[in-house]
Amino acid sequence: MRIVSGMRSTGRLHLGHYLGVIKNWVELQNSNECYFFVADWHALTTKYDDTKNLRQDVLDVVIDWLASGINPDKSTIYVQSLIPEIAELNVYLSMITPQNWVERDPTLKDMARILRTKEANNSQISYGLMGYPVLMSADIMMLNAEAIPVGVDQIAHIEITRDIVRRFNNIYKTDFFKEPKPLLNNCPLVCGLDGNKMSKSYNNDIKLADTAEITAKKIMSAITDRSRIRRDDLGHPDNCEVAFKYWQVFADDSQIQKVKSECEKGERGCADCKRQLAEFVNNSLKDIREKRKYYEAHLSEVEDIIRSGSEKTSREAKKILHEVRNIIGMY
Ligand code: TRP
Ligand code: SF4
């Protein structure tokens, strides 16, 4: 299958990105034709007035991907804004997309609501932000992809892409574009350290680039079963919203059972428990962090990967755009 997916250039990635999306990509690249890109135009939909770190943010995302096991010999890695063909396809798609399709996109509604409640002076909803799902459709259709591995929060956008594909094929009496399907992974998601969704903007995340010390400190701050006050109080792992959930992701079954029964019998203090949990988390991130250091010290390698991936994608995109112009009947 031809697969396309992307992430906005938000800088260093966290465990939510890794477990929720990247791990899935790493598996998919073994038996599919994969294209992964940094969506720097999508970053501009909300951060158009704050671009001083944009370049570094793009690099940080790619470094985290490479460190996590995205292999440039198997997958094509590129940057959205280096493929101007996407912008042209976006124009064609925006002509055929009814305004109310974008207005009812629930993910976009959420983004708009968050922006409106922000005290920032850029709380404007721009024309570009309204076009978010159309631009995503252009990303996907630019490579005529069949499957899109994303987190659940992106499903609504991909539904719009499917609608746009059908509408395009209908209007121009063609079957050129494939209807892409979203691919979800089955890995349990970790929440943020406060029990909410893990997000950079909530300041509750563990970054892949965090040191072992910072990670341990963050985990020690996580809430546990609130009914426990003394070390020998009987615990309820199911009410331990963060730490026990992390145990379930990072440890094997026998270790999870051990934590559970010791907690329930009051034989395990929360501080000790979290200290040990931090070791498990740090151990499972060790290789990624080492690879990350390597790429940080070899930035030109990263830039070469981006350049050659973008060139390859651009060649592919040109072919598809040529077809699209013919299908529509452009001059
Ligand atoms: N909206 C996605 C995110 O916030 C990024 C993205 C942009 C994307 N274009 C895409 C994902 C196309 C999949 C396919 O992370
Ligand atoms: Fe959670 Fe561990 Fe404390 Fe039990 S002992 S409540 S699992 S942190």
PDB file of all heavy atoms in Angstrom, residues 224-225 228 235-237 240 243-244 247 259 263-264 268-271 273-274, ligand 2:
ATOM      1  N   THR A 224      -1.221   9.921  41.900  1.00  0.00           N
ATOM      2  CA  THR A 224      -1.436   8.477  42.091  1.00  0.00           C
ATOM      3  C   THR A 224      -2.829   8.287  42.686  1.00  0.00           C
ATOM      4  O   THR A 224      -3.647   9.201  42.646  1.00  0.00           O
ATOM      5  CB  THR A 224      -0.367   7.876  43.027  1.00  0.00           C
ATOM      6  OG1 THR A 224      -0.479   8.514  44.294  1.00  0.00           O
ATOM      7  CG2 THR A 224       1.033   8.090  42.475  1.00  0.00           C
ATOM      8  N   ASP A 225      -3.076   7.108  43.223  1.00  0.00           N
ATOM      9  CA  ASP A 225      -4.362   6.850  43.900  1.00  0.00           C
ATOM     10  C   ASP A 225      -4.509   7.857  45.048  1.00  0.00           C
ATOM     11  O   ASP A 225      -3.789   7.802  46.033  1.00  0.00           O
ATOM     12  CB  ASP A 225      -4.351   5.404  44.412  1.00  0.00           C
ATOM     13  CG  ASP A 225      -5.584   5.095  45.255  1.00  0.00           C
ATOM     14  OD1 ASP A 225      -6.451   5.970  45.379  1.00  0.00           O
ATOM     15  OD2 ASP A 225      -5.656   3.960  45.757  1.00  0.00           O
ATOM     16  N   ARG A 228      -4.712   7.176  48.951  1.00  0.00           N
ATOM     17  CA  ARG A 228      -3.587   6.644  49.725  1.00  0.00           C
ATOM     18  C   ARG A 228      -2.830   7.775  50.400  1.00  0.00           C
ATOM     19  O   ARG A 228      -2.411   8.729  49.755  1.00  0.00           O
ATOM     20  CB  ARG A 228      -2.608   5.915  48.809  1.00  0.00           C
ATOM     21  CG  ARG A 228      -3.101   4.583  48.357  1.00  0.00           C
ATOM     22  CD  ARG A 228      -1.979   3.836  47.681  1.00  0.00           C
ATOM     23  NE  ARG A 228      -1.285   2.943  48.593  1.00  0.00           N
ATOM     24  CZ  ARG A 228      -0.138   2.363  48.302  1.00  0.00           C
ATOM     25  NH1 ARG A 228       0.493   2.631  47.192  1.00  0.00           N
ATOM     26  NH2 ARG A 228       0.418   1.542  49.165  1.00  0.00           N
ATOM     27  N   GLY A 235      -3.864   0.103  48.307  1.00  0.00           N
ATOM     28  CA  GLY A 235      -3.976   0.929  47.098  1.00  0.00           C
ATOM     29  C   GLY A 235      -4.976   0.376  46.094  1.00  0.00           C
ATOM     30  O   GLY A 235      -5.400  -0.774  46.186  1.00  0.00           O
ATOM     31  N   HIS A 236      -5.368   1.228  45.173  1.00  0.00           N
ATOM     32  CA  HIS A 236      -6.293   0.840  44.103  1.00  0.00           C
ATOM     33  C   HIS A 236      -5.666   1.222  42.767  1.00  0.00           C
ATOM     34  O   HIS A 236      -5.862   2.342  42.308  1.00  0.00           O
ATOM     35  CB  HIS A 236      -7.638   1.557  44.255  1.00  0.00           C
ATOM     36  CG  HIS A 236      -8.232   1.408  45.613  1.00  0.00           C
ATOM     37  ND1 HIS A 236      -7.924   2.258  46.656  1.00  0.00           N
ATOM     38  CD2 HIS A 236      -9.085   0.486  46.114  1.00  0.00           C
ATOM     39  CE1 HIS A 236      -8.577   1.869  47.740  1.00  0.00           C
ATOM     40  NE2 HIS A 236      -9.295   0.795  47.438  1.00  0.00           N
ATOM     41  N   PRO A 237      -4.931   0.297  42.178  1.00  0.00           N
ATOM     42  CA  PRO A 237      -4.234   0.623  40.922  1.00  0.00           C
ATOM     43  C   PRO A 237      -5.176   1.210  39.867  1.00  0.00           C
ATOM     44  O   PRO A 237      -4.771   2.075  39.096  1.00  0.00           O
ATOM     45  CB  PRO A 237      -3.669  -0.716  40.460  1.00  0.00           C
ATOM     46  CG  PRO A 237      -3.579  -1.538  41.694  1.00  0.00           C
ATOM     47  CD  PRO A 237      -4.669  -1.086  42.607  1.00  0.00           C
ATOM     48  N   CYS A 240      -5.288   4.765  40.030  1.00  0.00           N
ATOM     49  CA  CYS A 240      -3.990   5.419  39.877  1.00  0.00           C
ATOM     50  C   CYS A 240      -3.870   5.792  38.404  1.00  0.00           C
ATOM     51  O   CYS A 240      -3.379   5.021  37.590  1.00  0.00           O
ATOM     52  CB  CYS A 240      -2.892   4.446  40.300  1.00  0.00           C
ATOM     53  SG  CYS A 240      -1.249   5.103  40.089  1.00  0.00           S
ATOM     54  N   ALA A 243       0.409   6.711  36.953  1.00  0.00           N
ATOM     55  CA  ALA A 243       1.522   5.772  37.152  1.00  0.00           C
ATOM     56  C   ALA A 243       1.144   4.339  36.762  1.00  0.00           C
ATOM     57  O   ALA A 243       1.887   3.679  36.019  1.00  0.00           O
ATOM     58  CB  ALA A 243       2.003   5.826  38.598  1.00  0.00           C
ATOM     59  N   PHE A 244       0.002   3.864  37.229  1.00  0.00           N
ATOM     60  CA  PHE A 244      -0.314   2.467  36.906  1.00  0.00           C
ATOM     61  C   PHE A 244      -0.568   2.277  35.408  1.00  0.00           C
ATOM     62  O   PHE A 244      -0.207   1.259  34.824  1.00  0.00           O
ATOM     63  CB  PHE A 244      -1.493   1.943  37.736  1.00  0.00           C
ATOM     64  CG  PHE A 244      -1.642   0.448  37.607  1.00  0.00           C
ATOM     65  CD1 PHE A 244      -0.634  -0.408  38.042  1.00  0.00           C
ATOM     66  CD2 PHE A 244      -2.765  -0.096  37.007  1.00  0.00           C
ATOM     67  CE1 PHE A 244      -0.750  -1.785  37.886  1.00  0.00           C
ATOM     68  CE2 PHE A 244      -2.886  -1.482  36.845  1.00  0.00           C
ATOM     69  CZ  PHE A 244      -1.872  -2.323  37.292  1.00  0.00           C
ATOM     70  N   TRP A 247       2.735   1.870  33.916  1.00  0.00           N
ATOM     71  CA  TRP A 247       3.237   0.514  34.150  1.00  0.00           C
ATOM     72  C   TRP A 247       2.686  -0.435  33.091  1.00  0.00           C
ATOM     73  O   TRP A 247       3.379  -1.281  32.554  1.00  0.00           O
ATOM     74  CB  TRP A 247       2.818   0.025  35.539  1.00  0.00           C
ATOM     75  CG  TRP A 247       3.747   0.387  36.659  1.00  0.00           C
ATOM     76  CD1 TRP A 247       3.462   1.173  37.737  1.00  0.00           C
ATOM     77  CD2 TRP A 247       5.112  -0.039  36.822  1.00  0.00           C
ATOM     78  NE1 TRP A 247       4.559   1.273  38.571  1.00  0.00           N
ATOM     79  CE2 TRP A 247       5.584   0.529  38.029  1.00  0.00           C
ATOM     80  CE3 TRP A 247       5.980  -0.841  36.072  1.00  0.00           C
ATOM     81  CZ2 TRP A 247       6.881   0.326  38.497  1.00  0.00           C
ATOM     82  CZ3 TRP A 247       7.271  -1.046  36.541  1.00  0.00           C
ATOM     83  CH2 TRP A 247       7.714  -0.462  37.741  1.00  0.00           C
ATOM     84  N   VAL A 259       3.296  -5.221  40.607  1.00  0.00           N
ATOM     85  CA  VAL A 259       2.958  -3.862  41.047  1.00  0.00           C
ATOM     86  C   VAL A 259       1.533  -3.834  41.580  1.00  0.00           C
ATOM     87  O   VAL A 259       1.258  -3.286  42.655  1.00  0.00           O
ATOM     88  CB  VAL A 259       3.116  -2.857  39.875  1.00  0.00           C
ATOM     89  CG1 VAL A 259       2.616  -1.472  40.270  1.00  0.00           C
ATOM     90  CG2 VAL A 259       4.562  -2.787  39.406  1.00  0.00           C
ATOM     91  N   CYS A 263       0.635  -3.117  45.459  1.00  0.00           N
ATOM     92  CA  CYS A 263      -0.100  -1.876  45.696  1.00  0.00           C
ATOM     93  C   CYS A 263      -1.378  -2.178  46.473  1.00  0.00           C
ATOM     94  O   CYS A 263      -1.685  -1.531  47.482  1.00  0.00           O
ATOM     95  CB  CYS A 263      -0.403  -1.208  44.358  1.00  0.00           C
ATOM     96  SG  CYS A 263      -1.467   0.243  44.456  1.00  0.00           S
ATOM     97  N   GLU A 264      -2.085  -3.205  46.024  1.00  0.00           N
ATOM     98  CA  GLU A 264      -3.364  -3.538  46.668  1.00  0.00           C
ATOM     99  C   GLU A 264      -3.180  -3.974  48.115  1.00  0.00           C
ATOM    100  O   GLU A 264      -4.030  -3.733  48.963  1.00  0.00           O
ATOM    101  CB  GLU A 264      -4.084  -4.640  45.867  1.00  0.00           C
ATOM    102  CG  GLU A 264      -4.744  -4.085  44.620  1.00  0.00           C
ATOM    103  CD  GLU A 264      -5.222  -5.162  43.646  1.00  0.00           C
ATOM    104  OE1 GLU A 264      -4.807  -6.340  43.793  1.00  0.00           O
ATOM    105  OE2 GLU A 264      -5.997  -4.808  42.730  1.00  0.00           O
ATOM    106  N   ARG A 268       3.664  -1.390  48.835  1.00  0.00           N
ATOM    107  CA  ARG A 268       4.432  -0.636  47.851  1.00  0.00           C
ATOM    108  C   ARG A 268       4.103   0.839  48.027  1.00  0.00           C
ATOM    109  O   ARG A 268       2.960   1.259  47.891  1.00  0.00           O
ATOM    110  CB  ARG A 268       4.027  -1.144  46.460  1.00  0.00           C
ATOM    111  CG  ARG A 268       4.465  -0.347  45.264  1.00  0.00           C
ATOM    112  CD  ARG A 268       4.076  -1.033  43.984  1.00  0.00           C
ATOM    113  NE  ARG A 268       5.038  -2.075  43.635  1.00  0.00           N
ATOM    114  CZ  ARG A 268       6.082  -1.894  42.820  1.00  0.00           C
ATOM    115  NH1 ARG A 268       6.272  -0.743  42.236  1.00  0.00           N
ATOM    116  NH2 ARG A 268       6.922  -2.865  42.574  1.00  0.00           N
ATOM    117  N   GLY A 269       5.088   1.631  48.349  1.00  0.00           N
ATOM    118  CA  GLY A 269       4.858   3.076  48.501  1.00  0.00           C
ATOM    119  C   GLY A 269       4.832   3.732  47.138  1.00  0.00           C
ATOM    120  O   GLY A 269       5.510   3.295  46.210  1.00  0.00           O
ATOM    121  N   CYS A 270       4.047   4.779  47.014  1.00  0.00           N
ATOM    122  CA  CYS A 270       3.925   5.436  45.703  1.00  0.00           C
ATOM    123  C   CYS A 270       5.244   6.039  45.232  1.00  0.00           C
ATOM    124  O   CYS A 270       5.565   5.993  44.047  1.00  0.00           O
ATOM    125  CB  CYS A 270       2.839   6.505  45.748  1.00  0.00           C
ATOM    126  SG  CYS A 270       1.190   5.791  45.862  1.00  0.00           S
ATOM    127  N   ALA A 271       6.006   6.615  46.152  1.00  0.00           N
ATOM    128  CA  ALA A 271       7.273   7.227  45.725  1.00  0.00           C
ATOM    129  C   ALA A 271       8.218   6.163  45.168  1.00  0.00           C
ATOM    130  O   ALA A 271       8.787   6.334  44.083  1.00  0.00           O
ATOM    131  CB  ALA A 271       7.913   7.989  46.881  1.00  0.00           C
ATOM    132  N   CYS A 273       7.392   3.302  44.025  1.00  0.00           N
ATOM    133  CA  CYS A 273       6.770   2.752  42.822  1.00  0.00           C
ATOM    134  C   CYS A 273       7.110   3.611  41.609  1.00  0.00           C
ATOM    135  O   CYS A 273       7.495   3.118  40.553  1.00  0.00           O
ATOM    136  CB  CYS A 273       5.259   2.677  43.035  1.00  0.00           C
ATOM    137  SG  CYS A 273       4.363   1.916  41.671  1.00  0.00           S
ATOM    138  N   LYS A 274       6.984   4.917  41.778  1.00  0.00           N
ATOM    139  CA  LYS A 274       7.237   5.807  40.639  1.00  0.00           C
ATOM    140  C   LYS A 274       8.723   5.880  40.295  1.00  0.00           C
ATOM    141  O   LYS A 274       9.086   6.000  39.127  1.00  0.00           O
ATOM    142  CB  LYS A 274       6.677   7.200  40.937  1.00  0.00           C
ATOM    143  CG  LYS A 274       5.145   7.219  40.917  1.00  0.00           C
ATOM    144  CD  LYS A 274       4.575   8.606  40.928  1.00  0.00           C
ATOM    145  CE  LYS A 274       4.604   9.229  42.298  1.00  0.00           C
ATOM    146  NZ  LYS A 274       3.907  10.514  42.329  1.00  0.00           N
TER     147      LYS A 274
HETATM  148 FE1  SF4 B   2      -0.027   3.876  41.784  1.00  0.00          FE
HETATM  149 FE2  SF4 B   2       2.178   2.543  42.373  1.00  0.00          FE
HETATM  150 FE3  SF4 B   2       1.045   4.169  44.168  1.00  0.00          FE
HETATM  151 FE4  SF4 B   2      -0.129   1.898  43.521  1.00  0.00          FE
HETATM  152  S1  SF4 B   2       1.848   2.126  44.520  1.00  0.00           S
HETATM  153  S2  SF4 B   2      -1.123   3.886  43.716  1.00  0.00           S
HETATM  154  S3  SF4 B   2       0.394   1.712  41.351  1.00  0.00           S
HETATM  155  S4  SF4 B   2       1.974   4.761  42.224  1.00  0.00           S
END
